[in-house]
Amino acid sequence: MPLPADPVSLPEEPLRESAPVAYRLAHAHCPAGPEGCRDYHAMWQYFRQIGLLTTIATNGEFLVETLGRLAVAGLCRRVLVSATADYGMLAHVLHACRRAGVEPEITVIDLCETPLALNRWYAERMGAAIHTCCANVLEFAAAEPFDVVCTHSFLGRLTPEVRIGVLHKWHEVLRPGGHVVTAQRVRYGAPEGVTRYDPQEIVEFRERALALARARQHELDLSAEFIADAAEHYAVSKRSRGFGSTAALRALFEEHGFALERFDSGGEAERRRDRPSCPTRGWHSERFRIVAVRR
């Protein structure tokens, strides 16, 4: 079955309705404090709603086109969403597969119950049945192999040692010839280890959040000032472990059982419309679109 004529149709993401849901779920399920994820999960969808961060939206066309192509070929029936901040990846998987006339069997795993509950909320809204599993990706066991593993900007949150473990796990749960579909930022020349927003970036991030939230205050259930304060807190606490070169990102896949079918950034046009959710001052930054095949 061919895909519909419109190749750039993107999924419905009802951020206005779901942001308050995520806020409530985070306060019910997430641990608080410096090491907890409550503030992050509570505000993430508000940041997306006002356009402060583009995140998965930058790569929406890539995800829909790639997953749709796999679905048409019968290669996207069992899908694992391997860690997520919200239902964004689920939305893209469902949209791409349903355009191809396929109703996939989807499992979503994450360490935290909040994004899992939010995925169930979205799945119910969309009339889909999904499985969720609250677990460390490294400890997840699949009852049968998956056709596709997908996630967005996940590897940049991990230490190099854990990244290797994650690639081994993806290789383990995929069938031979199965695909990893993901996107990951490269910040050219960035040092190894943790990077943070610098003080000026924090000020600019808060100011941008305040302006964006004020412009959309009529559709928000939180005040613009509250959202700006939360954005400042996010920037202060944000830690990133990005890739400093394309060679390092390529090697992670090629040295751990995968062949790269696609590896590109989309060029300058993609970079200009991306709003990074991590420190980038002083580094040329691109998010690479990756399709890797399990050998």
Side-chain angles (χ1 to χ4, degrees), residues 107-165:
T107 298
V108 184
I109 60 173
D110 198 88
L111 271 175
C112 179
E113 177 61 26
T114 294
L116 299 178
L118 195 59
N119 272 266
R120 292 192 295 269
W121 176 90
Y122 181 82
E124 182 178 2
R125 179 186 178 100
M126 299 301 294
I130 65 169
H131 308 284
T132 59
C133 178
C134 192
N136 187 314
V137 173
L138 298 177
E139 298 169 356
F140 175 72
E144 57 182 293
F146 289 93
D147 297 310
V148 175
V149 170
C150 52
T151 190
H152 192 269
S153 296
F154 175 50
L155 295 170
R157 303 178 64 85
L158 311 174
T159 65
E161 296 76 19
V162 174
R163 288 172 186 164
I164 292 172

Side-chain angles (χ1 to χ4, degrees), residues 29-143:
H29 297 297
C30 293
E35 302 303 316
C37 55
R38 178 179 296 176
D39 295 338
Y40 168 68
H41 282 147
M43 297 305 302
W44 184 253
Q45 291 221 305
Y46 286 104
F47 296 160
R48 292 188 62 204
Q49 183 183 353
I50 65 174
L52 180 64
L53 305 173
T54 53
T55 62
I56 199 169
T58 305
N59 303 113
E61 294 172 13
F62 155 70
L63 292 169
V64 170
E65 184 276 328
T66 301
L67 294 166
R69 173 176 56 81
L70 294 174
V72 166
L75 303 176
C76 199
R77 297 193 178 278
R78 280 181 47 79
V79 179
L80 176 66
V81 177
S82 179
T84 184
D86 58 18
Y87 55 75
M89 184 58 74
L90 171 63
H92 284 76
V93 172
L94 277 176
H95 181 71
C97 290
R98 286 177 169 180
R99 290 174 75 240
V102 174
E103 192 67 20
E105 181 181 340
I106 302 172
T107 298
V108 184
I109 60 173
D110 198 88
L111 271 175
C112 179
E113 177 61 26
T114 294
L116 299 178
L118 195 59
N119 272 266
R120 292 192 295 269
W121 176 90
Y122 181 82
E124 182 178 2
R125 179 186 178 100
M126 299 301 294
I130 65 169
H131 308 284
T132 59
C133 178
C134 192
N136 187 314
V137 173
L138 298 177
E139 298 169 356
F140 175 72

Side-chain angles (χ1 to χ4, degrees), residues 172-209:
E172 174 190 314
V173 302
L174 278 169
R175 60 169 177 76
H179 293 76
V180 172
V181 179
T182 190
Q184 183 58 55
R185 185 176 301 284
V186 171
R187 289 172 291 160
Y188 298 98
E192 291 290 327
V194 173
T195 54
R196 306 179 181 185
Y197 283 101
D198 70 27
Q200 185 58 34
E201 280 185 306
I202 294 169
V203 170
E204 293 172 358
F205 194 76
R206 187 191 189 283
E207 289 175 349
R208 188 165 73 247

